[in-house]
Amino acid sequence: MNKTSERKAQQNLVLITTGSVKLEGNLVIPENAQGIVLFAHGSGSSRHSPRNQFVADILQSHGLATLLIDLLTSQEEAVDLRTRHLRFDIGLLASRLVDTTDWLAQNPDTSQLRVGYFGASTGAAAALLAATECPQAVGAIVSRGGRPDLAGSALGRVKAPTLLIVGGYDTSVIRMNQDALALMRVDKELEIVPGATHLFEEVGTLEEVARLATGWFKRYLSRNKAEGRGQREV
């Protein structure tokens, strides 16, 4: 029996309104959750991403709630499969993350939990940008194979401690993450997973991502909820 099955968890399909659309998400809250991690998918991925589901399962087994949400509607996903432009609309994705973060702050089951962002690929840039819009709400950020460079000037305004994880064979993305790290003025680290390519498909590499992410989130989300959570920077 794995740790996830040993820990009682509340699981729900949720609908979150953002603008004129509703987004679907899978919310899992373990008993005595220490924080909640909101997943920001990228590059055409969704809440059904097996890699993000794997990481979410590990986080849940360590007492962290998770929300895997589709940042695009099914209609938008169909368009993006043809045009591939919405996955790079960082402003749109970030605004939806902010609205989802507001929803978490208002939802009775999650309102007392500190929020972390787990961003993959272009979703990492959206997470970093969204974090600048609600700095009191977001306690930590983890990027997996991310494109933080796409957050542009927002990198210097991020206040949440940030961990960037990149595969050792993902050389071009390593350089992008190194450049982004240099622009950030928060607690920050870059972890390079040896033997991993961009999708961390090699044996043991995704497990290492989950281990690193768990440690980062537990360090920063287990603290008491910050005063003024949910307020946006103006």
Side-chain angles (χ1 to χ4, degrees), residues 2 15-16 42 59 83 98-99 111 137-138 152 166 170 181 198 201 223:
N2 61 36
L15 291 175
I16 297 171
L59 293 175
T83 66
V98 171
D99 288 342
S111 62
V138 181
V166 187
D170 202 4
L181 195 76
H198 185 64
E201 295 175 305
R223 303 171 183 175

Side-chain angles (χ1 to χ4, degrees), residues 117-139:
Y117 286 161
F118 183 95
S121 191
T122 55
L128 290 161
L129 180 57
T132 68
E133 296 294 324
C134 41
Q136 300 301 321
V138 181

Side-chain angles (χ1 to χ4, degrees), residues 135-193:
Q136 300 301 321
V138 181
I141 301 170
V142 174
S143 163
R144 171 181 64 81
R147 290 290 309 276
D149 55 296
L150 295 177
S153 62
L155 288 169
R157 303 196 305 274
V158 174
K159 295 183 179 180
T162 300
L163 173 64
L164 306 177
I165 306 173
V166 187
Y169 291 146
D170 202 4
T171 53
S172 61
V173 175
I174 289 175
R175 290 192 295 271
M176 294 172 186
N177 277 257
Q178 289 171 331
D179 292 343
L181 195 76
L183 297 173
M184 302 181 72
R185 299 190 294 271
V186 293
D187 291 342
K188 58 186 180 178
E189 291 183 17
L190 172 62
E191 289 280 358
I192 298 176
V193 178

